[in-house]
Amino acid sequence: MSAASEARAHPPLRTVRAGGVSFRLNLRTLGLVGLAAAALFALAAWSLTLGSFPIPLEGVLRAVLGRGSEDHEFIVRTLRLPRLLSALMVGAALAMSGAIFQGLVRNPLVSPDIIGINQGATLVAVFWIVTGQGRTTLAPVAFAGAVAAALAVYLLSWRGGVAPNRLVLVGIGLNAALAAGTTYLLVRFPIEQVGAAVAWSAGSVYASTWSDVTTLGAALAILTPAAMVLMWHLRILQFGDDTATSLGLPVEATRLTLVLVGCGFSAIAVGLAGPIGFVALMVPHVARMLAGAMTASVLVLTALLGAIMLLASDVVGQYFLPVTLPVGVITAVVGAPYFLFLLYRSNVRL
Amino acid sequence: MTATLPAPASEPPPDTLHALDDLDVLSRLSARGLTLAYDGPEIVHDLSVDLPDGQITTIIGPNGCGKSTLLRALGRLLRPRRGAALLDGEAVHRQPTKEVARRLGLLPQGAAAPDAITVEDLVRRGRYPHQAMFSPPTDRDRIAIDRAITLARVDDLRDRSVDELSGGQRQRAWIAMTLAQETPILLLDEPTTYLDIAHQQEVLDLVQRLNRNEGKTVAMVLHDVNEAARVSDHVVAMRDGRIVAQGTPAEVVRPEILARVFGIATEVVAHPRTGAPICVPLGAPALPEGNPGAEAASMLPRPCRLCAVDATLAYDRCVVAERLSVEVPDGAITAIVGPNACGKSTLLRALARLLKPSAGGSFLDGEPLHRARRRALAQCLGLLPQAPVAPVDVTVADLVAGGRTPHQRWYRQWSAEDERAVEAALATTHTADLRHRTTDALSGGQRQRAFLGMALARQTPIMLLDEPTTFLDIAHQVEVLDLVRALNRDEGRTVVMVLHDLSQACRYADHLVVMHQGRVVATGSPREVVTPALVRDVFGVEAAVVTDARTGRPLVLPYSLEDLRGVGRG
């Protein structure tokens, strides 16, 4: 048994009690959260120094605080910072969405990109682009597409209750249908508009603005605490419907809330950045391999790791390749081998 | 080490009480110095055994003692680490599969058939070892299939799909498939598990007929000692991968040997009709003679908090039980018993609010369950479902803590009271040592105790347990039921449990609810209710009912006409 799994098996727990509030904190997970946050901060600061106009770290920090030179401030605050923050938040949202769906369906292979939610956003967004509608409305429209797809999956799998396995199968079916619709649009419309749509569907945070950052930030500020609270309910749900019902949990209502929050995360990310694959599938597994069963604090770790992964992929795609690639391509290229490596090395139970 | 060489005949281990007395006994299938393991540690250590030809040999032992592993090695499914399983003097895993399959048929535990295959198709597959590729079935195949179907008495099920058969029918269909192989030797791994008493009888009768009329050599794993004693000529008792004792049932089924094999105290009595030894676990602490309030429980009018009144229970419009009325006496242990599919688990689900009666209702303290507040109800009614699930990465401590949910909020996840209740539940169920283990690393008995701990940590005055002893060997069954009784006697909790073993129900329950085809056919104390006529009418088996001198409770001792024929022969 490795040291990591040993520590997982005997977690250093601290109990915190104050009045009617009480929690158990896993110090090891909190330590990992701290490490991930520090790594994310360092990576973010470093990434701001990169670009066709390199700025030293000191200059970056000054510029962020509003005390740098004018051109530094313009480059950092107007050009680089929105893109950086978008990448962070999109990564965090995708990772948390994956964690919720994997826990809900008790299936390690599930993520919002597999059960049709990303594809719903893509179909609507592609339609929006090829028919020449305005780019400013693209994000909310894609968001609506994701939510519509999620609701369709949920309603189609309803049989007096939603069986998780049925939800997955219905999702995969709907995903195929939506993908076919997207392909039809791409074949049917003139090539110049189709080109823009294809570029969007590769997934990128290239065009992010401060208004995108505000939207994302507001959504995350609502959804993240909700998701952390729901982790407690999710754990009970995982004991099976009978036990959960008998423990007093309103099973269907909890499940619907989890689906909505999971979709919310996925939809805001896809609406802004296009369908970025692999983060939602992979990052929750990485977090669980590091920190054990999914709890609120492991969810935070998941979010931080998702942010690190997307930011790192964006940096690589932007600066370290002969051609600039959208981040969605990099997540798949970097993520897939790393994921296989982890699966091969780790004896973690999926 | 070459596996073909039989290990030199070693001295019998000192703890082998009864090696085969008659060394001349003929045995086509045997094991020499067999050491078996899957990926991990050794499960069977240097084991040698002979399966006497033309006899029924039964392997018994606690969960995890290696009995199924041994059978798998004998059946060529597992390659030994050292030593060999010998078929006609040659190591089985050195012989081609088809060659072995013509001499030895193996029915694995919980065999799975593709959906919607008919019984006849299933049986036809048994002919595989006798067929060449692309050749059409010969007359001999057809005769063998017909004969197997007749022998296993599945003629009337021939064209039925396997997945719609009852447990007993399905097991007979599988045995028919093994029979179509026309092998002189049959290996059966727990052929009676999951079956109710009548279906168990049905399968064991078939095994006995095959042995007596067809001269088949049978080796099987059974987890019920009394079944083993009833049907076998030769019993092999294992513990921790070694043979503790072997011999005739009378030689092996003795209290001192059972104590060493299962680690529990038992009393052995002779069956009044067949004379076969019957072991009666004493449990700990044994109930004193006379009746400590228990028997009186159902005589006195007791208050009743939980009841079902005129309840009609149905899944999707498929009605399981109609107009069912049951009262649960407060502070007593109630057992719901009946054959498979009689609606007993459905009744428990209705009492647990998992199933809403389509007519009538279930009530707690006079209030319909479906109008009660979720949390209040969850704090009052605890439930252990039949096959509880848990995520694989959950530890025992977290699982037991999950039982505290009705007392918690998301912002109050670990109060001092939660901690006390969880520690108490871990201690009571003897799972404190396992607290950091994840649920997938537990044995069946440990797992069941952990889930019982979860139900305990809820500290509900009423506990509903659905088949808490299924999947457990006799020692773990006694352990769990003793624990349930202690909870009732020491803490005054009301217990309702579904049990499929009538003897256990008689031993532990104060109040029996006997169900048959969706109706309650009898209620009352075990002594009032259990008679040979009731066992015959409800379970469809013949049984002698005697009074256990120690507890004053009835003992149900089933037998079949096949057994009586065996007595005549002996």
Side-chain angles (χ1 to χ4, degrees):
Chain A
M1 213 184 209
S2 71
S5 54
E6 184 71 28
R8 270 206 304 272
H10 298 268
L13 292 176
R14 275 299 132 75
T15 306
V16 179
R17 293 197 183 108
V21 177
S22 56
F23 286 101
R24 271 189 299 180
L25 300 175
N26 184 335
L27 299 184
R28 190 169 173 278
T29 307
L30 293 185
L32 285 167
V33 167
L35 275 179
L40 179 61
F41 183 78
L43 181 65
W46 177 61
S47 78
L48 287 177
T49 66
L50 300 172
S52 51
F53 187 91
I55 302 172
L57 192 58
E58 196 198 340
V60 165
L61 295 178
R62 275 167 188 261
V64 170
L65 297 173
R67 278 187 270 138
S69 64
E70 203 169 306
D71 45 346
H72 279 188
E73 276 196 21
F74 173 74
I75 290 169
V76 171
R77 297 183 62 154
T78 312
L79 298 182
R80 294 186 186 169
L81 208 49
R83 177 171 183 163
L84 170 90
L85 292 175
S86 298
L88 295 187
M89 290 193 281
V90 165
L94 286 173
M96 285 191 278
S97 167
I100 288 174
F101 279 107
Q102 282 166 14
L104 188 63
V105 189
R106 265 177 280 159
N107 184 330
L109 296 176
V110 169
S111 68
D113 28 329
I114 288 170
I115 58 172
I117 295 166
N118 287 8
Q119 203 56 248
T122 308
L123 176 66
V124 177
V126 165
F127 177 78
W128 209 249
I129 296 169
V130 294
T131 51
Q133 316 285 340
R135 285 303 276 253
T136 47
T137 47
L138 186 60
V141 163
F143 177 84
V147 171
L151 286 178
V153 171
Y154 195 83
L155 293 177
L156 285 174
S157 40
W158 180 271
R159 289 280 179 287
V162 168
N165 278 335
R166 182 193 295 274
L167 186 102
V168 178
L169 288 174
V170 167
I172 289 174
L174 190 74
N175 190 45
L178 293 172
T182 308
T183 310
Y184 169 78
L185 289 179
L186 292 180
V187 175
R188 173 80 177 63
F189 279 85
I191 194 72
E192 50 273 22
Q193 274 136 17
V194 165
V198 169
W200 181 85
S201 59
S204 159
V205 285
Y206 167 68
S208 309
T209 62
W210 275 110
S211 87
D212 292 337
V213 171
T214 333
T215 318
L216 254 181
L220 280 189
I222 297 165
L223 289 175
T224 309
M228 288 175 68
V229 168
L230 280 169
M231 282 299 118
W232 187 72
H233 299 91
L234 178 61
R235 190 198 56 147
I236 299 158
L237 204 56
Q238 286 178 334
F239 290 129
D241 287 5
D242 281 1
T243 307
T245 307
S246 141
L247 285 169
L249 191 78
V251 170
E252 285 308 331
T254 310
R255 197 147 33 214
L256 178 62
T257 318
L258 278 160
V259 168
L260 288 179
V261 172
C263 283
F265 276 128
S266 174
I268 54 166
V270 178
L272 195 114
I276 294 175
F278 233 74
V279 178
L281 175 66
M282 191 184 95
V283 173
H285 288 304
V286 177
R288 284 177 35 217
M289 287 174 201
L290 291 172
M294 192 55 72
T295 57
S297 49
V298 181
L299 185 76
V300 174
L301 180 67
T302 307
L304 290 170
L305 292 176
I308 290 178
M309 168 150 180
L310 207 85
L311 178 58
S313 301
D314 192 36
V315 168
V316 169
Q318 209 178 342
Y319 306 117
F320 292 91
L321 294 175
V323 287
T324 304
L325 284 180
V327 63
V329 178
I330 309 290
T331 56
V333 170
V334 179
Y338 178 64
F339 187 52
L340 291 177
F341 169 75
L342 271 182
L343 281 180
Y344 176 74
R345 278 289 303 280
S346 156
N347 50 6
V348 75
R349 290 169 295 265
L350 299 174
Chain B
M1 176 173 285
T2 50
T4 38
L5 284 178
S10 53
E11 288 289 314
D15 57 349
T16 303
L17 277 184
H18 295 270
L20 279 182
D21 295 324
D22 183 4
L23 288 176
D24 300 330
V25 68
L26 290 173
S27 163
R28 295 183 65 184
L29 185 61
S30 58
R32 286 291 170 270
L34 206 55
T35 297
L36 304 173
Y38 295 99
D39 290 335
E42 289 179 4
I43 294 167
V44 169
H45 316 278
D46 193 23
L47 184 142
S48 297
V49 68
D50 293 293
L51 305 181
D53 285 347
Q55 297 198 0
I56 299 178
T57 302
T58 309
I59 308 171
I60 59 171
N63 290 357
C65 72
K67 49 192 195 299
S68 290
T69 311
L70 172 62
L71 205 72
R72 286 172 68 83
L74 290 172
R76 200 187 181 278
L77 290 185
L78 179 68
R79 199 186 174 88
R81 206 169 256 190
R82 286 189 298 282
L86 303 176
L87 177 61
D88 296 327
E90 207 188 327
V92 281
H93 62 274
R94 289 296 172 112
Q95 305 179 38
T97 335
K98 266 197 168 180
E99 188 55 43
V100 173
R102 278 178 218 153
R103 283 180 273 162
L104 184 154
L106 172 72
L107 180 61
Q109 200 175 350
D115 284 354
I117 179 178
T118 65
V119 169
E120 189 175 339
D121 280 338
L122 181 70
V123 175
R124 189 172 289 130
R125 295 190 179 195
R127 292 303 295 168
Y128 171 76
H130 299 277
Q131 290 169 333
M133 215 186 291
F134 305 124
S135 70
T138 61
D139 283 345
R140 217 185 125 206
D141 289 333
R142 272 189 283 275
I143 292 168
I145 291 165
D146 285 344
R147 204 172 140 63
I149 285 179
T150 312
L151 274 177
R153 297 192 183 161
V154 285
D155 312 67
D156 48 333
L157 308 173
R158 231 181 150 113
D159 300 317
R160 294 268 298 280
S161 155
V162 174
D163 54 0
E164 60 188 41
L165 302 183
S166 77
Q169 293 170 330
R170 187 177 306 190
Q171 201 60 279
R172 276 188 295 155
W174 276 100
I175 292 179
M177 187 204 89
T178 319
L179 287 177
Q181 264 176 269
E182 295 197 305
T183 57
I185 305 173
L186 287 178
L187 304 180
L188 310 174
D189 195 357
E190 304 234 10
T192 58
T193 313
Y194 312 121
L195 303 183
D196 68 21
I197 186 168
H199 291 126
Q200 286 174 4
Q201 197 90 281
E202 185 179 55
V203 169
L204 292 179
D205 281 355
L206 169 60
V207 170
Q208 282 181 296
R209 278 203 309 278
L210 291 173
N211 170 255
R212 298 223 174 95
N213 307 341
E214 307 290 314
K216 304 258 188 207
T217 303
V218 180
M220 60 184 166
V221 169
L222 289 180
H223 75 279
D224 186 319
V225 176
N226 292 337
E227 278 180 1
R230 194 157 68 76
V231 300
S232 27
D233 305 300
H234 190 71
V235 178
V236 176
M238 289 180 67
R239 180 180 186 125
D240 298 334
R242 294 194 168 84
I243 293 178
V244 176
Q246 55 177 313
T248 61
E251 287 170 328
V252 174
V253 181
R254 297 199 320 214
E256 65 273 20
I257 293 178
L258 294 175
R260 284 171 52 200
V261 174
F262 293 101
I264 53 164
T266 54
E267 186 182 23
V268 174
V269 298
H271 194 289
R273 296 296 299 273
T274 66
I278 302 273
C279 92
V280 182
L282 296 178
L287 274 184
E289 290 187 33
N291 42 8
E295 278 294 292
S298 53
M299 317 243 182
L300 295 171
R302 283 216 173 209
C304 147
R305 296 187 64 188
L306 185 64
C307 63
V309 179
D310 266 346
T312 297
L313 308 177
Y315 296 108
D316 286 337
R317 263 174 269 139
C318 166
V319 176
V320 177
E322 252 176 316
R323 302 184 68 81
L324 212 54
S325 292
V326 173
E327 291 196 347
V328 174
D330 212 30
I333 300 180
T334 300
I336 308 175
V337 295
N340 288 1
C342 69
K344 50 192 194 298
S345 289
T346 310
L347 170 60
L348 197 78
R349 290 176 67 82
L351 292 175
R353 196 201 195 221
L354 293 180
L355 181 71
K356 187 178 180 194
S358 46
S362 29
F363 299 86
L364 179 70
D365 297 329
E367 190 190 6
L369 286 188
H370 279 266
R371 265 195 242 132
R373 286 183 46 242
R374 271 174 213 284
R375 274 173 73 86
L377 195 66
Q379 288 171 5
C380 188
L381 281 180
L383 172 76
L384 176 66
Q386 191 168 11
V389 296
V392 288
D393 52 5
V394 136
T395 62
V396 170
D398 285 342
L399 183 74
V400 174
R404 293 299 298 166
T405 309
H407 305 275
Q408 293 171 326
R409 296 284 189 186
W410 68 265
Y411 53 84
R412 193 175 63 235
Q413 296 189 4
W414 197 239
S415 68
E417 204 193 324
D418 291 336
E419 193 168 345
R420 272 194 301 277
V422 169
E423 286 306 319
L426 286 170
T428 316
T429 53
H430 306 291
T431 45
D433 301 343
L434 307 169
R435 63 169 71 221
H436 296 305
R437 287 245 205 120
T438 51
T439 46
D440 58 345
L442 300 178
S443 77
Q446 292 169 334
R447 195 179 142 88
Q448 197 67 358
R449 278 185 288 149
F451 278 106
L452 201 59
M454 182 182 185
L456 273 187
R458 284 170 77 168
Q459 301 191 321
T460 54
I462 303 176
M463 293 175 70
L464 308 173
L465 314 173
D466 197 354
E467 303 247 11
T469 58
T470 317
F471 312 120
L472 302 183
D473 66 36
I474 187 166
H476 286 121
Q477 289 180 4
V478 170
E479 186 182 288
V480 166
L481 290 172
D482 280 348
L483 177 61
V484 168
R485 185 167 58 193
L487 289 171
N488 168 256
R489 297 289 186 267
D490 304 343
E491 302 180 17
R493 302 210 199 181
T494 305
V495 177
V496 185
M497 54 185 172
V498 170
L499 287 177
H500 69 279
D501 185 327
L502 192 55
S503 289
Q504 280 179 349
C506 292
R507 240 186 107 64
Y508 287 93
D510 306 314
H511 185 75
L512 285 187
V513 174
V514 186
M515 289 188 67
H516 185 44
Q517 294 177 345
R519 287 176 303 113
V520 172
V521 292
T523 53
S525 76
R527 218 192 254 173
E528 297 162 354
V529 166
V530 178
T531 61
L534 177 102
V535 179
R536 188 185 308 121
D537 294 347
V538 172
F539 291 94
V541 295
E542 295 295 330
V545 176
V546 298
T547 304
D548 184 345
R550 277 168 195 266
T551 60
R553 286 159 176 266
L555 266 181
V556 180
L557 308 174
Y559 61 92
S560 75
L561 299 176
E562 294 289 333
D563 293 337
L564 292 180
R565 212 190 298 171
V567 171
R569 191 181 66 162

